[in-house]
Amino acid sequence: MDTIRWLARYIRPYSTSWTVGSLLTVVVALLNMVQPYISGLIVDFVINERRVDLLIPLLLTMIGSVLIRTFFRYRYQVRFEAISQDVLFQIRGDLYRKLQELDFSFFNHTRTGDIMARMTGDTDAIRHSIAWVYFNILDNIVLFISSLIFMGTIEWRLTLSLLIVTPFIALFTVLLSSRANRAFYEIRESFSRLNSMVEENIRGNKVVKAFANEAYEEEKFKKVNDDYKESNMQSASISKRYLPLLETFASFMSVIAIGFGGWLVLANEMSVGDLVTFTGLIWMINLPMRNLGGHMNDLQRLFGGTTKIREMLIIEPQIPIEQRKKADRIHGEVEFQDVSFAFPDDPEQLVLDHVSFKAHPGETIGILGETGSGKSTLVNLISRFFDPTEGRVLIDGVDVREWNVIDLREDITVVMQDAFLFSDTIQSNISYSFPQTPIEAVEEVAEVADAKEFIEKMPEKYATYLGEQGSGLSGGQKQRISLARGLLKNPAILILDDTTSAVDMETEVKIQRGMEDISQERTTFIIANRLSSVKDADQILILSQGEIIERGTHEELLAKEGAYYRIYEEQLGQGE
């Protein structure tokens, strides 16, 4: 019932159209009784009593009912299909909006294939149920009830005899429904795993080819594909076990009708015409019984799909996007006060351990440390992608948890090492934050990021359309376009997370020179592995196992002859 109530909220705006469609469905179902009834009249009056004058009117009535039924059926099928597409549009929109609200924690623990399954297969189950399953169930219910009533008025004893098989059909339907529910859940989960693997393989195709590991990937896919096949075969096995029994008992009705009905005719307790009408109505009881198993499968698919969709829609992000009073522009003062952080699924393992420092507006902060030392996590707290487990992160003296998240992130730009580019033009990628930006401003930031030269060598320059995730560009080119995109936003706080790792030293120097002037206007955090990227910073932090083990300027840290000094010796040698 929860699923029905949930769906009703989406259908409610189309309630008038839904009601009209339902009424047309009922009318069409009732019109199905016209043809058997007229067939009986033709036998009793036209054939037996030789009243030939009634033949043409009865045939015209029969033809008219068929035409009306066909027209009405077409109208309500189109109506329900239109409603299903509108509902699907709303649900997909809600799912996509929810995806925009959810934070890093959700995406870190949810397979991409599972999300895609909800957006495609699960939503299609809803469309199919509204556009097809609903009116078929309604049609079958009306057919069954109306035919039973009509048949009861013709010969109540024969009607009661048909109901002998219904308890068996009900029993097998309950068994089918309970087993099909589990089977469809397994199919859905297996489909999710299949989606995830295909998506992962497409993204990692260069790695696969670089290692010549196609055979290994094919074997992995075969296992997942076999699992999906087996899940479907299990569902088919359940249907194979119960559907023949349902159809067999439903078919017994015709045997009972012909046998018992024939005896009543021979005993002169029923006319031949009534028997013709009665047998002509048998399918109206038989068909719903036959369809019962299929409808149960469709409903279980619907319930399984909507459960996953509803689970996603009710997830609340750990960092809620709240509507608060818009704040003034951030000036760029950042302070960590005894900050510790651990991921929710591993609360005992601190990624940051009592970190404290302060960055003044316009300063550049360099951050060094081995892999896993907490560098990226530290800057993620500034943008409030996560909240600290202990302590406070202040921006302009205000706890980040008190800022409007949208306002906060509008004044902070994070340029990540893994540069993601959209399937769009270079200009659109750079002007992502302000799509109406003039081309002159785009060219200006591209020059600062040392991207202008290679862009202008392309046939269509800034109008060049990039493939998926920037395919066709080198890693360094992607990073430079990503950097230009971040600079165009003109943030108060600029975070560069190993942004120049894929460029050569000469290009890095050009980028540093280009950024000298604009860096004075904003607080800049630079995460790097190369010491050359941070040696001119106002403050350098050395992280190890989530703690700041050294801090100071380049000269101050060299004088300490500690961790920074050892990095310096390894990368730059003894002299500058």
Side-chain angles (χ1 to χ4, degrees):
M1 289 304 295
D2 288 342
T3 293
I4 303 302
R5 281 195 293 268
W6 177 77
L7 268 181
R9 291 192 292 110
Y10 287 98
I11 296 172
R12 194 170 294 121
Y14 316 102
S15 57
T16 301
S17 183
W18 182 272
T19 303
V20 172
S22 299
L23 289 173
L24 290 176
T25 304
V26 172
V27 170
V28 168
L30 294 174
L31 285 172
N32 281 301
M33 290 188 290
V34 173
Q35 195 164 342
Y37 177 64
I38 292 178
S39 297
L41 293 178
I42 291 174
V43 170
D44 280 343
F45 294 100
V46 177
I47 297 176
N48 291 340
E49 298 184 11
R50 305 294 180 178
R51 296 184 60 180
V52 181
D53 59 305
L54 294 177
L55 180 60
I56 299 302
L58 289 174
L59 289 177
L60 289 175
T61 303
M62 188 182 292
I63 293 170
S65 71
V66 170
L67 292 176
I68 294 171
R69 191 173 73 234
T70 302
F71 176 72
F72 281 178
R73 185 174 179 82
Y74 167 77
R75 294 301 302 170
Y76 74 65
Q77 284 184 332
V78 170
R79 191 175 292 270
F80 283 122
E81 181 62 42
I83 294 172
S84 74
Q85 292 296 339
D86 287 334
V87 169
L88 200 61
F89 178 82
Q90 295 295 329
I91 292 174
R92 281 186 177 147
D94 287 349
L95 281 170
Y96 199 76
R97 277 189 292 275
K98 176 59 71 172
L99 281 177
Q100 307 311 308
E101 294 174 8
L102 294 171
D103 45 37
F104 282 12
S105 296
F106 172 80
F107 294 101
N108 287 344
H109 298 90
T110 307
R111 298 189 305 262
T112 302
D114 187 46
I115 297 173
M116 295 306 298
R118 300 184 204 207
M119 296 288 289
T120 54
D122 292 344
T123 52
D124 188 65
I126 295 173
R127 183 207 62 77
H128 176 68
S129 297
I130 295 173
W132 182 258
V133 178
Y134 166 73
F135 76 72
N136 272 285
I137 291 177
L138 178 61
D139 179 63
N140 285 178
I141 290 172
V142 175
L143 282 176
F144 187 81
I145 295 174
S146 61
S147 60
L148 272 182
I149 294 173
F150 191 29
M151 292 162 81
T153 63
I154 296 172
E155 175 51 65
W156 66 270
R157 290 171 297 178
L158 185 53
T159 303
L160 285 178
S161 68
L162 296 179
L163 299 180
I164 295 173
V165 298
T166 53
F168 298 99
I169 293 174
L171 172 64
F172 293 130
T173 300
V174 171
L175 292 173
L176 172 65
S177 177
S178 62
R179 286 162 173 74
N181 187 26
R182 292 192 295 270
F184 275 109
Y185 182 81
E186 286 302 319
I187 289 173
R188 194 245 171 245
E189 289 300 299
S190 183
F191 180 65
S192 171
R193 291 191 290 270
L194 185 70
N195 261 356
S196 291
M197 182 172 180
V198 172
E199 189 270 341
E200 182 181 70
N201 198 266
I202 292 171
R203 289 173 63 91
N205 71 88
K206 291 181 181 178
V207 176
V208 175
K209 294 184 184 302
F211 282 83
N213 235 8
E214 289 87 350
Y216 173 71
E217 289 297 324
E218 287 173 11
E219 186 62 29
K220 277 172 58 181
F221 179 77
K222 182 177 181 299
K223 291 178 181 178
V224 178
N225 199 22
D226 280 346
D227 177 68
Y228 183 55
K229 183 188 77 171
E230 287 303 316
S231 297
N232 279 279
M233 290 302 295
Q234 182 66 28
S235 174
S237 176
I238 294 170
S239 297
K240 179 183 71 176
R241 187 180 309 160
Y242 293 105
L243 289 183
L245 292 171
L246 285 170
E247 292 202 10
T248 299
F249 278 97
S251 299
F252 281 162
M253 291 183 175
S254 297
V255 177
I256 294 170
I258 296 296
F260 188 32
W263 182 83
L264 289 172
V265 169
L266 292 174
N268 292 320
E269 296 185 25
M270 186 178 186
S271 72
V272 177
D274 284 344
L275 181 59
V276 169
T277 299
F278 205 96
T279 54
L281 293 169
I282 285 291
W283 74 269
M284 296 177 66
I285 297 178
N286 202 335
L287 183 67
M289 293 295 184
R290 288 173 180 271
N291 289 342
L292 203 53
H295 292 329
M296 286 299 105
N297 284 343
D298 285 330
L299 289 176
Q300 294 307 328
R301 183 185 172 208
L302 170 68
F303 295 148
T306 53
T307 297
K308 285 293 184 179
I309 291 174
R310 286 160 54 206
E311 284 176 358
M312 183 169 164
L313 289 175
I314 63 175
I315 294 173
E316 291 298 329
Q318 295 182 10
I319 312 295
I321 298 178
E322 302 167 339
Q323 296 298 324
R324 301 183 183 177
K325 182 180 178 181
K326 186 170 177 62
D328 295 332
R329 178 176 168 83
I330 290 172
H331 298 296
E333 181 182 273
V334 178
E335 182 177 3
F336 276 55
Q337 293 183 346
D338 200 29
V339 170
S340 296
F341 176 80
F343 289 102
D345 55 349
D346 190 10
E348 302 301 320
Q349 181 63 45
L350 289 179
V351 181
L352 293 176
D353 190 2
H354 298 286
V355 171
S356 296
F357 72 88
K358 188 171 185 178
H360 297 283
E363 285 188 342
T364 297
I365 310 298
I367 304 173
L368 296 173
E370 73 273 10
T371 301
S373 60
K375 305 186 297 294
S376 294
T377 301
L378 184 146
V379 294
N380 283 338
L381 295 180
I382 298 173
S383 296
R384 208 188 170 197
F385 294 143
F386 302 100
D387 280 337
T389 307
E390 296 178 21
R392 298 196 303 165
V393 177
L394 307 179
I395 293 183
D396 293 351
V398 179
D399 193 314
V400 291
R401 285 168 288 204
E402 297 179 19
W403 282 90
N404 183 323
V405 173
I406 298 298
D407 290 347
L408 182 71
R409 292 175 185 168
E410 281 181 351
D411 285 332
I412 300 175
T413 289
V414 182
V415 183
M416 301 179 182
Q417 177 184 5
D418 184 14
F420 181 89
L421 299 179
F422 294 94
S423 300
D424 207 334
T425 63
I426 291 177
Q427 180 177 352
S428 295
N429 269 281
I430 295 177
S431 62
Y432 180 68
S433 54
F434 302 106
Q436 305 304 319
T437 302
I439 186 62
E440 293 78 15
V442 172
E443 291 174 349
E444 185 178 336
V445 292
E447 186 171 10
V448 174
D450 196 39
K452 186 176 181 179
E453 183 178 351
F454 79 79
I455 292 173
E456 294 191 343
K457 288 181 180 178
M458 294 181 172
E460 297 181 64
K461 299 182 180 181
Y462 291 88
T464 300
Y465 195 90
L466 302 179
E468 188 175 2
Q469 297 182 32
S471 60
L473 298 179
S474 69
Q477 289 172 332
K478 291 179 187 178
Q479 284 191 337
R480 281 178 274 173
I481 291 176
S482 179
L483 176 60
R485 176 172 60 194
L487 295 175
L488 185 67
K489 190 177 174 184
N490 191 28
I493 299 173
L494 176 63
I495 299 171
L496 306 178
D497 190 349
D498 212 3
T499 308
T500 57
S501 60
V503 303
D504 55 67
M505 296 288 288
E506 183 179 350
T507 301
E508 183 183 34
V509 170
K510 289 181 181 178
I511 293 173
Q512 288 174 347
R513 288 173 181 168
M515 290 186 62
E516 282 179 359
D517 292 337
I518 62 174
S519 293
Q520 296 174 6
E521 303 171 6
R522 58 182 54 85
T523 308
T524 305
F525 291 84
I526 302 176
I527 295 176
N529 289 312
R530 293 177 186 166
L531 192 145
S532 58
S533 300
V534 299
K535 67 184 183 69
D536 295 325
D538 298 292
Q539 185 179 177
I540 301 171
L541 308 177
I542 312 296
L543 267 66
S544 178
Q545 297 182 355
E547 299 182 34
I548 297 177
I549 57 173
E550 288 184 13
R551 72 181 74 202
T553 63
H554 174 68
E555 290 76 14
E556 291 170 347
L557 292 173
L558 284 179
K560 292 181 180 179
E561 297 189 359
Y564 183 85
Y565 182 79
R566 288 191 295 273
I567 297 171
Y568 175 77
E569 281 194 319
E570 290 172 4
Q571 294 189 11
L572 300 180
Q574 294 291 335
E576 289 187 70

